[in-house]
């Protein structure tokens, strides 16, 4: 079975380490915040200028001046800092954020990522994604392994305009967890019940399959 | 009163001197921390052919979106322009030139503009359509593109509190691009929720020192919420 969105978020959350500053993109990456493992403290960075993003506000706490990069109303946790957009991107570009999690349309075996525009469709903009992928050394891409029509999104070479070149080193899809190394995807784990054959079939880029590919496990909470 | 008193009496006075074809840098992120009344004054004046630099372009009927209604903006530097049907229509009809700019690059363009730095190298956008046609240099084995600074004929800024000398503090995440735009306007206009006496703001807590600010006005704000999300 392919992973659900929640399971993808739970799997990514296992990569969090105590003391990490983390930037989570919109969509599945946002859900990662719900699954921070017990005993681990992470500080969420929101690129509109907030380090230490907290939960959504109550009706009483609701404040138009307190939003995240997705423009949702949020709170700041104790120990948070708020600053300008230039300061925020100094942190991001300067490599101070420990982990970035973001979605993508395509990634390729060279670590290129395409996530911001589909030619012929309306272009809404890249927001902070190009700065995030250029600045982070530790990025996890979350995406579906293939389109609804079965076309692979893990490619030899991205077909869509890039967000960043050679910057992605880890990918979590609904079928597998992979690393990108030396011009190839390396299959590290597979989703429960998903065969190595299915992953091979749905990966268009060069795929390295080790002798043993462990299956992910999820204990029901 | 002259000297360092930057207060003006009306919004008409606040935007005095704005003309067709000028460049306006605007603070705000989405609808958070936008200079709503200064935008309304630009609309009232009907100036056209403006170049605007702002992270977003408001929504239909609010924020910078209102300047689209009479086609006052001909060119915009922005990182994200979704959530605005009129904008999409003008973009598709080539009525507005959109220079999509990565968010951090846009912030740095304003910061550099205000700091007297004409251009800077950044890795952001290298190898993407954003890097096409731009000078590339390699530093320590990595590629960087040259991005030019932005300076505005006007900067329009929304602060929380200011004193009459133009020292400004921002509230929460309504800070965003505001202090950057404030540094990079030939004429920087700041509207705030409250003007306080000099000395009331703690000097070490000032976000925008008064030297950057030309005009200050106190206003009232709708502060519309774009995505209202609550807990539980």
């Amino acid at each position: 079975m392919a992973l659900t969105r929640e399971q993808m978020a739970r799997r990514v959350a296992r990569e969090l380490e105590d003391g990490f500053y983390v930037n989570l993109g919109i969509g599945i990456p946002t859900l990662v915040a719900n699954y921070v493992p017990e005993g681990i403290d992470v500080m969420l960075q929101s690129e509109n200028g907030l380090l230490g993003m907290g939960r959504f506000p109550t009706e009483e706490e609701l404040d138009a001046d307190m939003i995240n990069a997705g423009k949702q109303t949020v709170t700041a946790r104790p120990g948070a800092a708020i600053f300008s957009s230039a300061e925020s991107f100094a942190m991001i570009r300067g490599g101070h954020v420990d982990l970035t999690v973001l979605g993508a349309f395509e990634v390729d075996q060279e670590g290129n990522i395409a996530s911001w525009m589909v030619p012929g469709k309306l272009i809404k903009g890249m927001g902070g994604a190009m700065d995030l992928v250029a600045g982070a050394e530790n990025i996890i891409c979350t995406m579906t392994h293939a389109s609804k029509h079965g076309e692979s999104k893990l490619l030899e070479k991205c077909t869509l305009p890039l967000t960043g070149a050679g910057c992605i080193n880890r990918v979590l899809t609904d079928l597998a967890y992979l690393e990108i190394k030396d011009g190839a995807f390396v299959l590290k784990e597979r989703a429960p019940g998903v065969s190595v054959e299915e992953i091979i079939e749905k990966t268009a880029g060069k795929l390295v399959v080790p002798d043993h590919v462990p299956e992910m496990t999820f204990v029901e909470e | 009163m002259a000297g360092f008193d930057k207060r003006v009496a009306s919004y008409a006075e606040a935007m005095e001197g704005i003309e067709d074809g000028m460049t306006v840098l605007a603070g705000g992120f989405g609808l958070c921390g936008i200079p709503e009344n200064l935008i309304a004054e630009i609309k009232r004046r009907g100036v056209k052919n403006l170049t605007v630099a702002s992270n977003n372009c408001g929504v239909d009927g609010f924020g910078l979106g209102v300047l689209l209604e009479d086609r006052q903006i001909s060119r915009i530097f922005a990182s994200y322009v979704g959530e605005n049907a009129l904008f999409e229509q003008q973009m598709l009809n080539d009525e507005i030139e959109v220079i999509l700019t990565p968010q951090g690059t846009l912030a740095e363009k304003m910061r550099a503009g205000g700091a007297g730095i004409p251009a800077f190298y950044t890795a952001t956008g290298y190898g993407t359509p954003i890097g096409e046609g731009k000078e590339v240099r390699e530093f320590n084995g990595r590629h960087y593109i040259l991005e030019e600074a932005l300076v505005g004929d006007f900067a329009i800024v929304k602060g929380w509190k200011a004193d009459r000398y133009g020292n400004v503090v921002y509230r929460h995440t309504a800070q965003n691009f505001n202090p950057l735009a404030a540094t990079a306007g030939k004429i920087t206009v700041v509207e705030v929720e409250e003007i306080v006496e000099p000395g009331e703001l703690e000097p070490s807590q000032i976000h925008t020192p008064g030297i950057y600010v030309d005009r200050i006005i106190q206003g009232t704000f709708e502060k519309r919420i774009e995505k209202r999300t609550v807990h539980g």
Side-chain angles (χ1 to χ4, degrees), chain B residues 1-50:
Chain B
M1 201 175 101
F4 295 108
D5 191 346
K6 313 280 176 76
R7 290 173 299 177
V8 294
S10 67
Y11 276 96
E13 198 181 330
M15 292 309 297
E16 187 59 47
I18 191 161
E19 291 171 14
D20 290 356
M22 281 189 165
T23 296
V24 179
L25 312 183
F29 182 95
L31 301 182
C32 182
I34 57 171
E36 0 180 316
N37 301 298
L38 295 171
I39 293 167
E41 174 60 20
I42 294 173
K43 179 174 174 64
R44 192 192 68 78
R45 286 171 171 264
V47 286
K48 301 241 195 258
N49 200 22
L50 297 173

Side-chain angles (χ1 to χ4, degrees), chain B residues 2-232:
Chain B
F4 295 108
D5 191 346
K6 313 280 176 76
R7 290 173 299 177
V8 294
S10 67
Y11 276 96
E13 198 181 330
M15 292 309 297
E16 187 59 47
I18 191 161
E19 291 171 14
D20 290 356
M22 281 189 165
T23 296
V24 179
L25 312 183
F29 182 95
L31 301 182
C32 182
I34 57 171
E36 0 180 316
N37 301 298
L38 295 171
I39 293 167
E41 174 60 20
I42 294 173
K43 179 174 174 64
R44 192 192 68 78
R45 286 171 171 264
V47 286
K48 301 241 195 258
N49 200 22
L50 297 173
T51 292
V52 170
S54 168
N55 190 55
N56 315 89
C57 197
V59 295
D60 288 304
F62 196 66
L64 289 168
V66 303
L67 301 185
L68 299 170
E69 293 162 5
D70 301 317
R71 294 184 167 69
Q72 291 178 265
I73 304 175
S74 59
R75 196 162 74 122
I76 183 162
F77 292 84
S79 86
Y80 191 80
V81 292
E83 293 134 20
N84 191 324
L86 186 55
F87 189 93
E88 290 177 7
Q89 188 195 320
Q90 292 185 10
M91 190 160 77
L92 290 169
N93 294 345
D94 284 328
E95 291 170 331
I96 187 164
E97 182 191 354
V98 183
I99 302 160
L100 284 174
T101 307
Q103 197 174 129
T105 295
L106 183 63
E108 194 65 12
K109 276 171 173 278
M110 291 187 193
R111 198 196 69 80
I117 293 170
F120 56 92
Y121 288 101
T122 178
T124 303
Y126 171 74
T128 79
I130 299 306
E132 281 168 20
K134 290 176 183 160
E135 185 187 321
V136 175
R137 259 190 79 174
E138 197 176 319
F139 297 94
N140 301 318
R142 236 189 131 184
H143 292 96
Y144 297 80
I145 58 172
L146 188 68
E147 291 278 6
E148 291 184 21
L150 273 171
V151 173
D153 296 297
F154 272 81
I156 56 173
V157 170
K158 159 68 173 57
W160 178 31
K161 294 179 182 179
D163 61 28
R164 63 171 173 269
Y165 297 162
N167 295 306
V168 183
V169 293
Y170 305 95
R171 187 166 174 276
H172 301 332
T173 60
Q175 182 172 167
N176 55 61
F177 282 80
N178 279 298
L180 312 167
T183 64
K186 288 176 194 160
I187 297 175
T188 291
V189 188
V190 183
E191 60 171 335
V192 295
E193 295 172 41
E194 189 183 355
I195 295 178
V196 300
E197 285 301 308
E200 279 188 46
L201 301 174
E202 171 63 35
S204 65
Q205 303 291 315
I206 302 285
H207 292 123
T208 294
I211 193 167
Y212 295 112
V213 176
D214 299 284
R215 301 172 189 171
I216 283 278
I217 186 163
Q218 183 173 313
T220 54
F221 299 85
E222 176 182 337
K223 290 203 195 178
R224 195 180 293 186
I225 292 175
E226 198 164 346
K227 291 182 187 168
R228 180 194 173 90
T229 43
V230 291
H231 178 68

Side-chain angles (χ1 to χ4, degrees), chain A residues 9 15 58 81 88-89 100 103 123 127 147 164 184:
Chain A
E15 301 301 313
T58 61
S88 183
F89 283 94
T100 292
I123 304 157
S147 73

Side-chain angles (χ1 to χ4, degrees), chain A residues 38-120:
Chain A
E38 194 82 15
I40 281 184
D41 193 12
V42 298
M43 197 73 91
L44 300 179
Q45 205 259 13
S46 193
E47 65 266 24
N48 59 316
L50 170 60
L51 186 63
M53 179 167 62
R55 55 166 173 71
F56 291 136
T58 61
E59 288 287 345
E60 293 70 37
E61 291 168 332
L62 196 70
D63 188 333
D65 290 337
M66 197 64 222
I67 67 165
N68 65 17
K71 295 163 191 143
Q72 297 169 306
T73 46
V74 289
T75 57
R77 56 168 271 177
I82 293 175
F83 33 80
S84 75
S85 300
E87 184 82 50
S88 183
F89 283 94
M91 291 171 196
I92 289 166
R93 244 190 268 101
H96 303 280
V97 176
D98 297 301
L99 177 66
T100 292
V101 185
L102 78 175
F105 301 145
E106 297 175 345
V107 293
D108 71 27
Q109 63 196 38
E110 302 299 333
N112 298 319
I113 172 174
S115 66
W116 71 286
M117 91 177 254
V118 179

